[in-house]
Amino acid sequence: MITLLQRWYSSPTLQLTAAMLAVLYCLTCAAVAAEDHATDVNIAVPPALCGPGSRPETGLQGQVPLQDRLNGRSRQGYACNLELVGQYQGEGSATISAVGGHCAYMATSYAGRALKKSPGVQVIDVSDPSKPSLVRALATRAFEYGTWESLKVNDAGTMLAGAGVGGGLGVGKLDLYDITDCANPKLLNSSAQGDSLPVNNIAHEGEWSPDGRTYWTSGLAAGALTAIDVNNPTKPRTIYFGGSTIFVNHGMSFNADGTRLYMASIFPAGIVILDVSDIQNRKASAPRVRQIAKVTWKDGSTTQRAVPATIKGRPYLIAIDELGAEKSGGGIRFIDISDERNPIIVSHIRLAIQLKENFETTKQDSAGNGIFKYDAHYCALDRQVEPTALACGYFQSGIRVFDIRDPFKPKEIAYFNPPAQTGKNALLPGSDHAGSPVFGSILGNRITDPALLQVQASKSKLPDLTADWCSSAPQFVNGQLWTTCNDNGFMVLKFTNGIYPLTR
């Protein structure tokens, strides 16, 4: 994502975005400093205890050691209390995919558009979890262009939306589908030509309000924020288009009634609590977004999003950092928002490989595998009220599941890091990882893995794919996890050794 910013600075899209945002008014600003009461900032979360049938990690918690990359061990993957039930790899997956009913919607990469045999969003029927199958591809205006982090299903499971984000920042594209029959989506906002109607918005990320009446997009430039009314889904219309130069937006989530928007801030890292009552309640004229509080920190960067949860009767935000800072990996923190004007950070989740003392090891392991190292990205709960488990997708560290019944003492219970697809870049034009830029290389080391030797011989300038990027949120479905990783595509995972479900 950082690399793409360098391209946007000189792109026509960014110039258009800047011109549009120049006329916008700022949010009402009333920032409140964060309180960090946590004592586990640089302490690893207790690791999972792996039962029979597991293929445990060979190094630190969350690590794919350099030696495993060089000798091919990483191509076997690592598993602890989770196992693969079924898979549809296709041509790989983009950053975020979605789930609705018995179907999965696998986005594919903008960068690989010219090479893909099946463009757009892939509709996967998971009626038989052991045999997920491709039904069709949705290649309308936004979906074909690439949806980045905007592809979302509403809470009712009846509509699928995604903005046309392309290489990271898109303007004016939105596809809205009826997925009542999940394997046969119907385009709702169709034009006379059969493609989707344009809708004013600036997008990098998107999310639904809980009642499904509003689809929101956020853009990286100047805090762009758009609210789109979908009460008439055949003619979605923009009802709020605003922004702020005070923070750079990323992902978002909402409280139960949709009047509070929890916005992740990229620079500085943190979470902003916004009052969006005017939009949610459809104030007729001059709706405003008001800032209630802002929580920032320095031991992480590029905050991705916050997951709201009510645990033991108290409201929390579970905030995820996409990148690390101060030699720590991008981790997860629990924020008590009982007093929304005075949020309090109460605990953190960091894997052992993400600790400061392992910073150099992290660099050595991940050189040549793209910009992201062992960082968290998206998480999902087994339920929002009194959840017991949090499942998270990590770059290079796979799928990790945590027991969060005590938010002050989270602990890991399972993980699944899928087999590395070393050197298979040409087969994966749909993967955001396979075609991404690289920084550094491990190819100067002694290599014994035949697949990596072929990468070395080819003098490839692409990522070596010695560990996957599992950037999408694993979804709890009927006691299983449904998820996508960039190189391995869509997967169904099941818990083993009685580790889940958890009881209160």
Side-chain angles (χ1 to χ4, degrees):
M1 195 268 306
I2 301 299
T3 305
L4 290 169
L5 283 173
Q6 297 170 352
R7 301 176 189 172
W8 297 332
Y9 290 148
S10 59
S11 71
T13 296
L14 183 58
Q15 293 167 12
L16 174 60
T17 301
M20 295 170 73
L21 288 174
V23 300
L24 302 177
Y25 55 83
C26 291
L27 306 179
T28 301
C29 304
V32 175
E35 290 186 49
D36 193 339
H37 291 193
T39 59
D40 57 354
V41 175
N42 195 51
I43 299 174
V45 66
L49 302 176
C50 302
S54 297
R55 297 190 309 279
E57 294 166 326
T58 60
L60 296 170
Q61 179 190 38
Q63 182 189 18
V64 180
L66 177 60
Q67 193 57 41
D68 284 12
R69 299 169 189 255
L70 298 174
N71 64 23
R73 169 63 183 83
S74 68
R75 291 199 287 124
Q76 299 174 34
Y78 310 86
C80 176
N81 303 328
L82 276 171
E83 67 181 28
L84 182 68
V85 173
Q87 179 178 12
Y88 174 77
Q89 184 177 23
E91 297 176 289
S93 171
T95 304
I96 295 296
S97 295
V99 168
H102 61 83
C103 300
Y105 304 99
M106 189 170 81
T108 56
S109 174
Y110 163 81
R113 289 168 73 203
L115 302 173
K116 288 182 287 188
K117 296 178 182 177
S118 184
V121 172
Q122 314 296 292
V123 180
I124 303 167
D125 188 334
V126 201
S127 298
D128 180 352
S130 68
K131 297 179 181 178
S133 59
L134 178 67
V135 178
R136 58 181 45 82
L138 308 176
T140 40
R141 186 191 306 271
F143 285 7
E144 189 276 336
Y145 193 60
T147 53
W148 207 266
E149 292 159 347
S150 73
L151 189 69
K152 303 290 169 63
V153 170
N154 66 354
D155 286 0
T158 57
M159 286 193 284
L160 172 71
V165 180
L169 189 66
V171 177
K173 299 179 180 67
L174 177 72
D175 290 354
L176 185 61
Y177 279 85
D178 178 349
I179 57 169
T180 306
D181 178 357
C182 74
N184 296 286
K186 306 297 183 186
L187 182 65
L188 292 166
N189 62 323
S190 60
S191 67
Q193 292 73 38
D195 210 335
S196 58
L197 293 167
V199 181
N200 289 335
N201 75 95
I202 297 176
H204 176 82
E205 182 122 9
E207 189 57 87
W208 288 91
S209 63
D211 61 9
R213 296 189 306 130
T214 315
Y215 178 77
W216 293 76
T217 67
S218 60
L220 301 175
L225 186 62
T226 309
I228 302 168
D229 184 304
V230 296
N231 278 311
N232 179 358
T234 64
K235 295 181 180 180
R237 61 188 183 91
T238 300
I239 57 173
Y240 176 81
F241 187 60
S244 170
T245 58
I246 295 172
F247 52 88
V248 182
N249 293 342
H250 215 175
M252 72 196 88
S253 56
F254 298 87
N255 69 342
D257 67 9
T259 61
R260 296 293 185 268
L261 188 154
Y262 307 120
M263 178 65 71
S265 171
I266 295 181
F267 306 114
I271 297 293
V272 183
I273 300 177
L274 301 173
D275 180 347
V276 294
S277 301
D278 284 1
I279 292 90
Q280 176 64 16
N281 297 327
R282 299 300 192 262
K283 182 178 178 181
S285 61
R288 299 181 67 189
V289 172
R290 298 169 176 85
Q291 183 171 309
I292 295 173
K294 183 176 182 180
V295 182
T296 62
W297 45 82
K298 296 181 180 179
D299 62 329
S301 66
T302 315
T303 305
Q304 179 59 58
R305 76 190 304 260
V307 180
T310 300
I311 307 175
K312 297 182 179 179
R314 298 181 72 87
Y316 292 89
L317 296 178
I318 304 171
I320 307 117
D321 286 336
E322 186 177 17
L323 293 171
E326 296 183 338
K327 296 188 176 181
S328 294
I332 301 164
R333 65 199 74 218
F334 287 70
I335 305 169
D336 186 328
I337 56 168
S338 298
D339 178 357
E340 67 177 359
R341 295 189 177 277
N342 184 32
I344 298 172
I345 300 168
V346 299
S347 66
H348 300 74
I349 292 177
R350 278 203 170 89
L351 308 177
I353 190 59
Q354 295 182 308
L355 302 184
K356 293 182 179 183
E357 55 264 34
N358 298 318
F359 177 69
E360 291 300 325
T361 299
T362 293
K363 289 203 308 183
Q364 292 169 13
D365 290 345
S366 57
N369 200 32
I371 187 173
F372 297 110
K373 300 177 175 62
Y374 299 115
D375 301 307
H377 192 250
Y378 253 65
C379 299
L381 299 164
D382 56 352
R383 54 184 176 270
Q384 191 167 342
V385 178
E386 302 303 336
T388 65
L390 177 75
C392 299
Y394 281 73
F395 296 103
Q396 305 208 46
S397 293
I399 307 301
R400 322 292 299 200
V401 185
F402 304 97
D403 177 347
I404 60 165
R405 289 174 292 181
D406 183 348
F408 290 84
K409 295 180 181 180
K411 59 184 179 181
E412 186 180 61
I413 60 171
Y415 60 78
F416 184 88
N417 201 345
Q421 302 299 294
T422 306
K424 294 184 178 180
N425 307 67
L427 301 177
L428 300 170
S431 164
D432 274 341
H433 180 205
S436 67
V438 292
F439 306 88
S441 174
I442 63 172
L443 299 179
N445 294 281
R446 182 175 180 272
I447 300 169
T448 56
D449 175 27
L452 194 58
L453 284 170
Q454 290 183 8
V455 174
Q456 184 185 54
S458 72
K459 298 182 180 180
S460 171
K461 303 298 182 183
L462 295 172
D464 53 41
L465 307 190
T466 53
D468 205 343
W469 287 2
C470 295
S471 52
S472 199
Q475 300 293 327
F476 289 86
V477 181
N478 300 324
Q480 300 173 325
L481 289 179
W482 291 13
T483 191
T484 57
C485 295
N486 281 204
D487 306 332
N488 276 271
F490 175 75
M491 293 174 287
V492 176
L493 308 175
K494 74 174 182 179
F495 292 94
T496 61
N497 299 310
I499 203 69
Y500 184 86
L502 300 168
T503 57
R504 280 219 167 263

